[in-house]
Amino acid sequence: AGAAGAAADAPPADSGAVVVREPTFWEKATNFGSGSGFGWFGDAAGSVGDRIFGETEQAEALRELRELMPDFDMDKFLTEEVAQKQRDVLGAYLRGDMEALRRCCRDAAYGALHKSVMEREAHQLQMDERLLFLSDPEIESVRYIGGMPTPVVSFEAHQLNCVRSKSTKQIVEGDEDDIRAVHYLFALQPTEDWAEPEPEAAGEAPADGGEAGGEAGGE
């Protein structure tokens, strides 16, 4: 009866009507960047003036970053620091481990992730924690975020669109074979204790390599 009722309410196939589908839970969970306070990255520059300003800002931000961190090496940063952050942040988010996220995320990023995890908990849902593939991170830009020179990196993750009920362990959305590509942006900032190092530790990065903020979009 439910299927028949839905069919009766649906617009005719040739009516030209636009049907808006509500995003699934998984789609919302992997697109938390949109409308979540991650407007740091913005859109591509829309005018010559915007592009010139962007290039100038990037040059200034990169110069200040190197002044703050004389030993900064972009290749090492990407292959060591960011590669570890990929797994730390995404793993904690998929597990719903808020303590781990609190340790490595700035307030804005933590707030967006916390909201998503709390929605998951309220519905007693569990996301598949497996990361099937992580691409090598690439630098997108170095820009000022919150007044700090901040490398912004991008990478792709292959994840499973598979959501289970915590109570029954049954799949309620997606499937174990439904692999999706998700594109991430991470903004990685040094922590305050690194920005103002002790004399004996001047120029050295903290053990955690800084704190992250991010944005994601899935396919």
Side-chain angles (χ1 to χ4, degrees), residues 112-147:
L113 297 175
H114 180 269
K115 179 180 179 181
S116 179
V117 171
M118 289 300 99
E119 181 180 358
R120 190 190 316 170
E121 291 292 330
H123 291 87
Q124 287 294 290
L125 298 175
Q126 183 175 16
M127 297 181 71
D128 196 294
E129 300 175 12
R130 287 172 287 181
L131 293 169
L132 305 180
F133 168 78
L134 286 173
S135 70
D136 293 333
E138 297 181 356
I139 189 73
E140 290 290 323
S141 64
V142 180
R143 59 198 311 176
Y144 286 104
I145 298 176

Side-chain angles (χ1 to χ4, degrees), residues 161-192:
N161 173 24
C162 183
V163 181
R164 297 178 183 272
S165 164
K166 273 193 169 184
S167 58
T168 67
K169 305 303 180 184
Q170 296 295 311
I171 297 174
V172 297
E173 186 180 293
D175 191 87
E176 284 189 326
D177 296 327
D178 188 356
I179 301 173
R180 302 288 183 94
V182 186
H183 300 276
Y184 289 93
L185 285 177
F186 275 15
L188 291 156
Q189 293 184 326
T191 54
E192 284 76 5

